[in-house]
Amino acid sequence: MKVVLKVFLGILTAIGGFVDIGDLVANAVVGARFGLSLAWVVVIGVVGICLFADMSGRVAAVTGRGTFDLVRERLGPRAGLANLVASTFVTFLTLAAEVGGVALALELATSVSYLLFVPLVAFLVWFVIWRMPFEKMEQAFGLAGLALLAFAVALWQLGPDWSELLRQATHPSVPDGEGHPTYLFYAVSLFGAAMTPYEVFFFSSGAVEEGWSRKDLRTERLNVYLGFPLGGLLSLAIAACATLVLLPQGIGVDHLDQVALPVVLSLGKVGLAFLIVGFVAATFGAALETALSTGYSLSQYLGWQWGKRTAPREAARFHAVVLISVVLGAMLILTTLDPVKVTEYSLVFSAVALPLTYLPILVVANDPDYMGESVNGRVVNALASVYLVLLTVVAFAAIPLMIATKAGQ
Amino acid sequence: MRGADLLGLPVVGPGGEDLGRVLDVRLVQDGPILGAFAALRIEGLVVGRRALAARLGYDRYDAQGPWLVAAGVARLTRGTRYLPWADLQLTDGEVRSQVADLGPVPKIA
Amino acid sequence: MTGRVRDLALHLLDRQVVDTDGAAVGNVDDVELHVPEDGSPPYVIALLTGPQALGPRLGGRLGSWLVFWSHALSRHSGADPGRIGMELLTDLGAQVTVARSRVELGVHENEDRARTYFVERIPGARDARR
C-alpha cells in the first residue's frame, strides 16, 4: 500500500511539476492565436521529454552521476565548457522568467506591482533551497501546482463542441492571416516549453539526490510515462481555454491576466483563487528547479560536491552558485524587462540548446561501460534517433525563424 | 609528463608527412603494482583528425547503438589510426612515427 | 583486472573522484605520467585535479587565465595542481573512488575558501535537511 501511495504521489508531483511559466505562456499565446492547430507539437514535445527524462534518469540511477558529469566526460573539457555556458545561459533566463512569473501571479492576486514582489520571491526561493528537504520541496510545489487543474474544469464548464476541438487538433493547418514562418516559430516555442533543458538536469540530479538505484527504475518510468503526458494534457487544456475564449474575441496574450481570463469567465472568483495558487506553486516550483539546476550543472562540470542531501557547508561552492544565480535572476527582472517576453525568448533558446545535452546522454545511455545491462533497448533507440534528427532540425531552425518573424509579431 | 602534454600533439610520419593529431592514449593495466591495482601503462596512441567525434568512443567499441549515431561517427572517424608506443619517438612538440602506414585502432572487447 | 584496456580520454579523464564517504573530491582534470629511466613505456602515477590541471587542457587564453588566477590566489599548493597518487584508488569505473577522505587529500582549497568566507556565515549552514 505504501508503495502504491508513493507511486501515486510521484505521478501527481510530475503532473504539477510539468507546467511552468513557459507552458503557461506558450500554450495561452498559441491557443489565442492559432487555436488547437499546434496541439500536435505538444504531443511531440511530451513524447520527447518522456524519452529524454527516462534516459537521463536511468543513467543517473545506474551510474549515480548527473547530466553535466557525463556531458563533460563525453565531449571533453572544451566542448563541454561551451555546452555548459550555453545551457546555463538558457537555464538562467528560465530562472529569471519563473521568478518574474511568481511575482506576476502575486500581482494578479493583490494588484500591487509585480516588481515589488521580486526581491521577496527571490529571497523565498533561496530560503526554501537552503532549508527545505529535497523530497518535501518537490512534493509540496508539485501537488500545489495541481490547482492548475482549474483550467481543465473551466474547459469542461465552457461546454465546448468537443468534436470540433478534436477536429482542429487532428487536422493541423495554418489559420488565415498567419504566415507559415510565424506558425513554425510558435511551433518551436511550444516545443521548447514542453522540452526545457533544465527539466532534465533537475530530473537526473534529483534522482541522485534521492539516492535512486536500479531497483527504483520502475517507479521512475511510471512517474515519467504517466505524469508527463498528464501534464501535457493540462497544457492542452490551457491552450483549449484560450482557443474558446480569447481567439474569437481577438484577445492576444501578453500578460498573465489574459492567461487567466477564460478561467475567470467560466469559474469566477473561486476559479481565479485556485488559478493563482496554481500559478504561484508551478512557477515557484520551477524557480527552485532552475536555480538548483544552475548549481548542479556548474558543480558537476567542475567536479564539486553538490546537492541538498548534506548540510550547505559541505557543498559550499554549490550553494554559493545557487545563491548568486537567484540574485542575478531577480536583478534581471528588476530591470523591468517584461517577464512574459523573457519567457518567450527562453523557450526559443531552450529549443536551440536541447541537442547539446541530448546527444551525450543518448551516447552514455548506450555505453555498456557505464550502463551494463541497462543500455537502451531497440525501441527506445529507434525513437531516440528520430528525436535526435528532430531536435537538430529544430535547433538550427529556431534562430532564423525568430529573426524572420521578429519573434512571432 | 602530463596527459595534456600528449593529447592533441601533431603526429608526423617518417618523411615528415602529417598523420593527424593524438586523440587518445591507449592504456593497459599491466604496469608495476600501485596500491590495489597494476599501473595503467601506455601501449599506443589513437591518431586522427576528428577529436570531438572520437571522444564519443564509437571508434573504440565494436557494436554500440543507436545505429544513426554509430554510422555518423564511423564516417567522421574512419581516418582514425593506431600508433603503437614501440613505433614512435617523442620529439619537441610532435610525435614522430617510424612507420608510414598505421593500422586500425584495435577494438576494446 | 590485470591486462584490461582503458583509453585515457575515453575512460579516465574528466571522471568524478569521490572519497571514502562518497563525497565529491574533484574531477580527473589530468593525469601525471611517470617515464621510467629504462625507456619502457610511461604509466599513470597520479590523478591531477583542480584549475591548475584543467587550465592547460582547456588551452587558449581562458586556460592560461585560469592557471594564473588559481596560482595567484593559492596559499598552499603554489603552482601545482591537486595530486592523488594512483596507489590510493579503490575503484575505477563511472566514478573513481579513493581510500582517503577529502580533508586528508588536501585538494580542496577553493571549497574551503567558499565555506569559510561565504556559506558558513549564513545561519543554518551546518544543518542537513533530508
Side-chain angles (χ1 to χ4, degrees), chain A residues 1-16 139 143 146 219 222-223 226-227 230:
Chain A
M1 201 52 219
K2 224 180 147 188
V3 178
V4 177
L5 189 72
K6 205 181 157 202
V7 169
F8 186 62
L9 207 61
I11 293 168
L12 288 184
T13 309
I15 300 171
Q139 282 167 3
L143 293 179
L146 287 175
T219 321
L222 271 173
N223 289 354
L226 279 172
L230 289 171

PDB file of all heavy atoms in Angstrom, chain A residues 1-16 139 143 146 219 222-223 226-227 230:
ATOM      1  N   MET A   1       0.831  -1.208   0.000  1.00  0.00           N
ATOM      2  CA  MET A   1       0.000   0.000   0.000  1.00  0.00           C
ATOM      3  C   MET A   1       0.862   1.252   0.000  1.00  0.00           C
ATOM      4  O   MET A   1       0.591   2.210  -0.717  1.00  0.00           O
ATOM      5  CB  MET A   1      -0.891  -0.058   1.256  1.00  0.00           C
ATOM      6  CG  MET A   1      -2.125   0.811   1.176  1.00  0.00           C
ATOM      7  SD  MET A   1      -3.073   0.511  -0.323  1.00  0.00           S
ATOM      8  CE  MET A   1      -3.560   2.166  -0.716  1.00  0.00           C
ATOM      9  N   LYS A   2       1.939   1.175   0.796  1.00  0.00           N
ATOM     10  CA  LYS A   2       2.824   2.323   0.884  1.00  0.00           C
ATOM     11  C   LYS A   2       3.478   2.602  -0.468  1.00  0.00           C
ATOM     12  O   LYS A   2       3.640   3.749  -0.862  1.00  0.00           O
ATOM     13  CB  LYS A   2       3.911   2.043   1.930  1.00  0.00           C
ATOM     14  CG  LYS A   2       4.166   3.231   2.842  1.00  0.00           C
ATOM     15  CD  LYS A   2       5.231   2.927   3.855  1.00  0.00           C
ATOM     16  CE  LYS A   2       6.011   4.193   4.157  1.00  0.00           C
ATOM     17  NZ  LYS A   2       7.170   3.936   4.989  1.00  0.00           N
ATOM     18  N   VAL A   3       3.803   1.507  -1.179  1.00  0.00           N
ATOM     19  CA  VAL A   3       4.430   1.643  -2.489  1.00  0.00           C
ATOM     20  C   VAL A   3       3.470   2.313  -3.478  1.00  0.00           C
ATOM     21  O   VAL A   3       3.833   3.227  -4.202  1.00  0.00           O
ATOM     22  CB  VAL A   3       4.866   0.261  -3.020  1.00  0.00           C
ATOM     23  CG1 VAL A   3       5.481   0.394  -4.400  1.00  0.00           C
ATOM     24  CG2 VAL A   3       5.834  -0.382  -2.052  1.00  0.00           C
ATOM     25  N   VAL A   4       2.208   1.845  -3.446  1.00  0.00           N
ATOM     26  CA  VAL A   4       1.189   2.397  -4.344  1.00  0.00           C
ATOM     27  C   VAL A   4       1.034   3.896  -4.093  1.00  0.00           C
ATOM     28  O   VAL A   4       0.994   4.707  -5.016  1.00  0.00           O
ATOM     29  CB  VAL A   4      -0.164   1.679  -4.154  1.00  0.00           C
ATOM     30  CG1 VAL A   4      -1.231   2.304  -5.044  1.00  0.00           C
ATOM     31  CG2 VAL A   4      -0.016   0.206  -4.469  1.00  0.00           C
ATOM     32  N   LEU A   5       0.983   4.232  -2.806  1.00  0.00           N
ATOM     33  CA  LEU A   5       0.831   5.634  -2.428  1.00  0.00           C
ATOM     34  C   LEU A   5       2.010   6.460  -2.947  1.00  0.00           C
ATOM     35  O   LEU A   5       1.849   7.554  -3.469  1.00  0.00           O
ATOM     36  CB  LEU A   5       0.731   5.751  -0.902  1.00  0.00           C
ATOM     37  CG  LEU A   5       0.358   7.143  -0.396  1.00  0.00           C
ATOM     38  CD1 LEU A   5      -1.100   7.447  -0.702  1.00  0.00           C
ATOM     39  CD2 LEU A   5       0.617   7.264   1.098  1.00  0.00           C
ATOM     40  N   LYS A   6       3.198   5.871  -2.815  1.00  0.00           N
ATOM     41  CA  LYS A   6       4.398   6.577  -3.233  1.00  0.00           C
ATOM     42  C   LYS A   6       4.386   6.814  -4.746  1.00  0.00           C
ATOM     43  O   LYS A   6       4.712   7.892  -5.219  1.00  0.00           O
ATOM     44  CB  LYS A   6       5.633   5.759  -2.837  1.00  0.00           C
ATOM     45  CG  LYS A   6       6.855   6.620  -2.660  1.00  0.00           C
ATOM     46  CD  LYS A   6       8.075   5.818  -2.286  1.00  0.00           C
ATOM     47  CE  LYS A   6       9.310   6.619  -2.677  1.00  0.00           C
ATOM     48  NZ  LYS A   6      10.488   5.797  -2.843  1.00  0.00           N
ATOM     49  N   VAL A   7       3.981   5.780  -5.481  1.00  0.00           N
ATOM     50  CA  VAL A   7       3.914   5.895  -6.932  1.00  0.00           C
ATOM     51  C   VAL A   7       2.882   6.945  -7.323  1.00  0.00           C
ATOM     52  O   VAL A   7       3.126   7.821  -8.157  1.00  0.00           O
ATOM     53  CB  VAL A   7       3.560   4.534  -7.575  1.00  0.00           C
ATOM     54  CG1 VAL A   7       3.235   4.697  -9.054  1.00  0.00           C
ATOM     55  CG2 VAL A   7       4.702   3.557  -7.391  1.00  0.00           C
ATOM     56  N   PHE A   8       1.715   6.884  -6.679  1.00  0.00           N
ATOM     57  CA  PHE A   8       0.628   7.817  -6.946  1.00  0.00           C
ATOM     58  C   PHE A   8       1.084   9.259  -6.698  1.00  0.00           C
ATOM     59  O   PHE A   8       0.873  10.156  -7.508  1.00  0.00           O
ATOM     60  CB  PHE A   8      -0.560   7.456  -6.054  1.00  0.00           C
ATOM     61  CG  PHE A   8      -1.800   8.260  -6.347  1.00  0.00           C
ATOM     62  CD1 PHE A   8      -2.427   8.192  -7.593  1.00  0.00           C
ATOM     63  CD2 PHE A   8      -2.354   9.078  -5.378  1.00  0.00           C
ATOM     64  CE1 PHE A   8      -3.559   8.935  -7.861  1.00  0.00           C
ATOM     65  CE2 PHE A   8      -3.493   9.818  -5.645  1.00  0.00           C
ATOM     66  CZ  PHE A   8      -4.094   9.747  -6.882  1.00  0.00           C
ATOM     67  N   LEU A   9       1.753   9.433  -5.559  1.00  0.00           N
ATOM     68  CA  LEU A   9       2.257  10.751  -5.186  1.00  0.00           C
ATOM     69  C   LEU A   9       3.277  11.247  -6.215  1.00  0.00           C
ATOM     70  O   LEU A   9       3.270  12.417  -6.609  1.00  0.00           O
ATOM     71  CB  LEU A   9       2.917  10.649  -3.804  1.00  0.00           C
ATOM     72  CG  LEU A   9       2.938  11.900  -2.952  1.00  0.00           C
ATOM     73  CD1 LEU A   9       1.534  12.359  -2.663  1.00  0.00           C
ATOM     74  CD2 LEU A   9       3.688  11.625  -1.648  1.00  0.00           C
ATOM     75  N   GLY A  10       4.119  10.324  -6.669  1.00  0.00           N
ATOM     76  CA  GLY A  10       5.139  10.667  -7.663  1.00  0.00           C
ATOM     77  C   GLY A  10       4.506  11.145  -8.953  1.00  0.00           C
ATOM     78  O   GLY A  10       4.956  12.122  -9.565  1.00  0.00           O
ATOM     79  N   ILE A  11       3.425  10.450  -9.368  1.00  0.00           N
ATOM     80  CA  ILE A  11       2.753  10.821 -10.617  1.00  0.00           C
ATOM     81  C   ILE A  11       2.102  12.192 -10.487  1.00  0.00           C
ATOM     82  O   ILE A  11       2.257  13.056 -11.359  1.00  0.00           O
ATOM     83  CB  ILE A  11       1.713   9.751 -11.009  1.00  0.00           C
ATOM     84  CG1 ILE A  11       2.441   8.452 -11.364  1.00  0.00           C
ATOM     85  CG2 ILE A  11       0.864  10.208 -12.189  1.00  0.00           C
ATOM     86  CD1 ILE A  11       1.543   7.248 -11.485  1.00  0.00           C
ATOM     87  N   LEU A  12       1.413  12.396  -9.354  1.00  0.00           N
ATOM     88  CA  LEU A  12       0.772  13.701  -9.122  1.00  0.00           C
ATOM     89  C   LEU A  12       1.808  14.820  -9.132  1.00  0.00           C
ATOM     90  O   LEU A  12       1.600  15.883  -9.727  1.00  0.00           O
ATOM     91  CB  LEU A  12       0.025  13.698  -7.791  1.00  0.00           C
ATOM     92  CG  LEU A  12      -1.259  12.871  -7.729  1.00  0.00           C
ATOM     93  CD1 LEU A  12      -1.927  13.040  -6.374  1.00  0.00           C
ATOM     94  CD2 LEU A  12      -2.226  13.267  -8.836  1.00  0.00           C
ATOM     95  N   THR A  13       2.946  14.560  -8.473  1.00  0.00           N
ATOM     96  CA  THR A  13       4.005  15.562  -8.426  1.00  0.00           C
ATOM     97  C   THR A  13       4.514  15.869  -9.831  1.00  0.00           C
ATOM     98  O   THR A  13       4.761  17.024 -10.175  1.00  0.00           O
ATOM     99  CB  THR A  13       5.173  15.065  -7.549  1.00  0.00           C
ATOM    100  OG1 THR A  13       4.629  14.646  -6.304  1.00  0.00           O
ATOM    101  CG2 THR A  13       6.187  16.148  -7.319  1.00  0.00           C
ATOM    102  N   ALA A  14       4.628  14.818 -10.652  1.00  0.00           N
ATOM    103  CA  ALA A  14       5.132  15.009 -12.012  1.00  0.00           C
ATOM    104  C   ALA A  14       4.158  15.843 -12.843  1.00  0.00           C
ATOM    105  O   ALA A  14       4.570  16.675 -13.648  1.00  0.00           O
ATOM    106  CB  ALA A  14       5.382  13.667 -12.683  1.00  0.00           C
ATOM    107  N   ILE A  15       2.837  15.642 -12.615  1.00  0.00           N
ATOM    108  CA  ILE A  15       1.835  16.430 -13.358  1.00  0.00           C
ATOM    109  C   ILE A  15       1.974  17.900 -12.983  1.00  0.00           C
ATOM    110  O   ILE A  15       2.106  18.778 -13.830  1.00  0.00           O
ATOM    111  CB  ILE A  15       0.395  15.981 -13.035  1.00  0.00           C
ATOM    112  CG1 ILE A  15       0.204  14.513 -13.393  1.00  0.00           C
ATOM    113  CG2 ILE A  15      -0.621  16.840 -13.786  1.00  0.00           C
ATOM    114  CD1 ILE A  15      -1.120  13.937 -12.896  1.00  0.00           C
ATOM    115  N   GLY A  16       1.924  18.168 -11.670  1.00  0.00           N
ATOM    116  CA  GLY A  16       2.009  19.547 -11.200  1.00  0.00           C
ATOM    117  C   GLY A  16       3.332  20.188 -11.567  1.00  0.00           C
ATOM    118  O   GLY A  16       3.405  21.377 -11.855  1.00  0.00           O
ATOM    119  N   GLN A 139       7.511  17.645  -3.586  1.00  0.00           N
ATOM    120  CA  GLN A 139       6.105  17.243  -3.469  1.00  0.00           C
ATOM    121  C   GLN A 139       5.204  18.433  -3.187  1.00  0.00           C
ATOM    122  O   GLN A 139       4.142  18.570  -3.788  1.00  0.00           O
ATOM    123  CB  GLN A 139       5.946  16.192  -2.378  1.00  0.00           C
ATOM    124  CG  GLN A 139       6.372  14.815  -2.845  1.00  0.00           C
ATOM    125  CD  GLN A 139       6.522  13.820  -1.713  1.00  0.00           C
ATOM    126  OE1 GLN A 139       6.247  14.143  -0.563  1.00  0.00           O
ATOM    127  NE2 GLN A 139       6.971  12.622  -2.037  1.00  0.00           N
ATOM    128  N   LEU A 143       2.349  19.213  -5.886  1.00  0.00           N
ATOM    129  CA  LEU A 143       0.940  18.981  -5.532  1.00  0.00           C
ATOM    130  C   LEU A 143       0.139  20.278  -5.572  1.00  0.00           C
ATOM    131  O   LEU A 143      -0.976  20.315  -6.088  1.00  0.00           O
ATOM    132  CB  LEU A 143       0.838  18.335  -4.147  1.00  0.00           C
ATOM    133  CG  LEU A 143       1.395  16.903  -4.070  1.00  0.00           C
ATOM    134  CD1 LEU A 143       1.274  16.358  -2.650  1.00  0.00           C
ATOM    135  CD2 LEU A 143       0.690  15.983  -5.051  1.00  0.00           C
ATOM    136  N   LEU A 146      -1.129  21.353  -8.825  1.00  0.00           N
ATOM    137  CA  LEU A 146      -2.330  20.696  -9.359  1.00  0.00           C
ATOM    138  C   LEU A 146      -3.547  21.618  -9.337  1.00  0.00           C
ATOM    139  O   LEU A 146      -4.553  21.326  -9.986  1.00  0.00           O
ATOM    140  CB  LEU A 146      -2.641  19.426  -8.567  1.00  0.00           C
ATOM    141  CG  LEU A 146      -1.694  18.243  -8.811  1.00  0.00           C
ATOM    142  CD1 LEU A 146      -2.041  17.097  -7.893  1.00  0.00           C
ATOM    143  CD2 LEU A 146      -1.761  17.796 -10.260  1.00  0.00           C
ATOM    144  N   THR A 219       9.572   2.648 -10.743  1.00  0.00           N
ATOM    145  CA  THR A 219       8.860   3.820 -10.226  1.00  0.00           C
ATOM    146  C   THR A 219       9.160   5.034 -11.096  1.00  0.00           C
ATOM    147  O   THR A 219       8.263   5.796 -11.449  1.00  0.00           O
ATOM    148  CB  THR A 219       9.321   4.115  -8.782  1.00  0.00           C
ATOM    149  OG1 THR A 219       9.481   2.884  -8.114  1.00  0.00           O
ATOM    150  CG2 THR A 219       8.336   4.997  -8.060  1.00  0.00           C
ATOM    151  N   LEU A 222       7.194   4.919 -14.308  1.00  0.00           N
ATOM    152  CA  LEU A 222       5.772   5.229 -14.101  1.00  0.00           C
ATOM    153  C   LEU A 222       5.572   6.741 -13.963  1.00  0.00           C
ATOM    154  O   LEU A 222       4.678   7.316 -14.574  1.00  0.00           O
ATOM    155  CB  LEU A 222       5.262   4.526 -12.851  1.00  0.00           C
ATOM    156  CG  LEU A 222       4.707   3.117 -13.056  1.00  0.00           C
ATOM    157  CD1 LEU A 222       4.391   2.480 -11.711  1.00  0.00           C
ATOM    158  CD2 LEU A 222       3.453   3.174 -13.919  1.00  0.00           C
ATOM    159  N   ASN A 223       6.441   7.354 -13.124  1.00  0.00           N
ATOM    160  CA  ASN A 223       6.341   8.807 -12.929  1.00  0.00           C
ATOM    161  C   ASN A 223       6.444   9.539 -14.252  1.00  0.00           C
ATOM    162  O   ASN A 223       5.671  10.439 -14.541  1.00  0.00           O
ATOM    163  CB  ASN A 223       7.452   9.316 -12.006  1.00  0.00           C
ATOM    164  CG  ASN A 223       7.245   8.903 -10.578  1.00  0.00           C
ATOM    165  OD1 ASN A 223       6.215   8.332 -10.250  1.00  0.00           O
ATOM    166  ND2 ASN A 223       8.221   9.157  -9.738  1.00  0.00           N
ATOM    167  N   LEU A 226       3.576   8.348 -17.075  1.00  0.00           N
ATOM    168  CA  LEU A 226       2.198   8.740 -16.759  1.00  0.00           C
ATOM    169  C   LEU A 226       2.109  10.223 -16.400  1.00  0.00           C
ATOM    170  O   LEU A 226       1.234  10.928 -16.873  1.00  0.00           O
ATOM    171  CB  LEU A 226       1.654   7.902 -15.595  1.00  0.00           C
ATOM    172  CG  LEU A 226       1.139   6.515 -15.985  1.00  0.00           C
ATOM    173  CD1 LEU A 226       0.813   5.709 -14.737  1.00  0.00           C
ATOM    174  CD2 LEU A 226      -0.101   6.644 -16.860  1.00  0.00           C
ATOM    175  N   GLY A 227       3.026  10.670 -15.560  1.00  0.00           N
ATOM    176  CA  GLY A 227       2.958  12.044 -15.061  1.00  0.00           C
ATOM    177  C   GLY A 227       3.130  13.090 -16.143  1.00  0.00           C
ATOM    178  O   GLY A 227       2.348  14.031 -16.237  1.00  0.00           O
ATOM    179  N   LEU A 230       0.157  13.395 -18.634  1.00  0.00           N
ATOM    180  CA  LEU A 230      -0.974  14.059 -17.979  1.00  0.00           C
ATOM    181  C   LEU A 230      -0.702  15.556 -17.826  1.00  0.00           C
ATOM    182  O   LEU A 230      -1.595  16.384 -18.001  1.00  0.00           O
ATOM    183  CB  LEU A 230      -1.264  13.410 -16.625  1.00  0.00           C
ATOM    184  CG  LEU A 230      -1.872  11.994 -16.727  1.00  0.00           C
ATOM    185  CD1 LEU A 230      -1.929  11.328 -15.361  1.00  0.00           C
ATOM    186  CD2 LEU A 230      -3.274  12.054 -17.339  1.00  0.00           C
TER     187      LEU A 230
END
